[in-house]
Amino acid sequence: MFEIEKLNRLTLLGLRLVIVFVFFWHGIPKAFSIEIAMQKFEGMGFPGFFGPIIGWFEVIGASFILVGFQNKWANLLMAAIIIVAIVGVQIPKGVTAGLERDLLLLFATLISAFFGPGLFAIKTK
């Protein structure tokens, strides 16, 4: 049977991997399809040039989170991106699956930032 501390660290690893999956899933298309990202952001009421920039922040931040490097700061950056998405995109639409996803992702990034990356992470102080 697992000891509780190892189980906690394994759970945080799982949470970290889910965060990475979501940010890679949404970040890679924005980072590498610049015109599409720009059009998407303009359609949401943001300046288009933010699309690829946010995409690169998501990809780089997710890469840091994947290996557990600067876990707290990378997760706080991702939380800030999600807060802007919630306030600027999701709330104006009302209660939708996008709002639910973003709220879960916000709290996942905050949990990972403040409780640590879990197993198999580069340790930084």
Side-chain angles (χ1 to χ4, degrees):
M1 183 175 259
F2 283 105
E3 55 187 78
I4 194 71
E5 181 59 33
K6 185 156 186 156
L7 188 57
N8 288 346
R9 293 177 62 221
L10 183 62
T11 302
L12 289 168
L13 168 64
L15 183 64
R16 191 172 97 221
L17 294 175
V18 169
I19 292 167
V20 166
F21 174 78
V22 172
F23 277 107
F24 275 153
W25 184 265
H26 290 275
I28 288 172
K30 286 186 279 225
F32 293 102
S33 300
I34 294 171
E35 285 188 33
I36 293 170
M38 291 177 74
Q39 290 172 355
K40 186 174 183 175
F41 269 61
E42 288 170 357
M44 293 184 292
F46 295 104
F49 68 89
F50 279 130
I53 293 169
I54 296 301
W56 278 108
F57 278 145
E58 290 174 342
V59 169
I60 293 167
S63 298
F64 276 35
I65 294 167
L66 177 63
V67 297
F69 179 70
Q70 294 295 327
N71 185 72
K72 180 178 182 177
W73 299 110
N75 273 289
L76 290 175
L77 171 65
M78 300 296 104
I81 290 171
I82 289 300
I83 289 169
V84 172
I86 289 169
V87 172
V89 178
Q90 301 301 343
I91 289 176
K93 291 182 190 176
V95 179
T96 66
L99 176 61
E100 295 169 354
R101 179 203 59 225
D102 286 357
L103 286 170
L104 285 169
L105 196 55
L106 171 62
F107 282 92
T109 58
L110 294 174
I111 289 166
S112 184
F114 294 112
F115 286 89
L119 293 174
F120 310 117
I122 295 173
K123 300 297 180 200
T124 57
K125 293 266 179 182

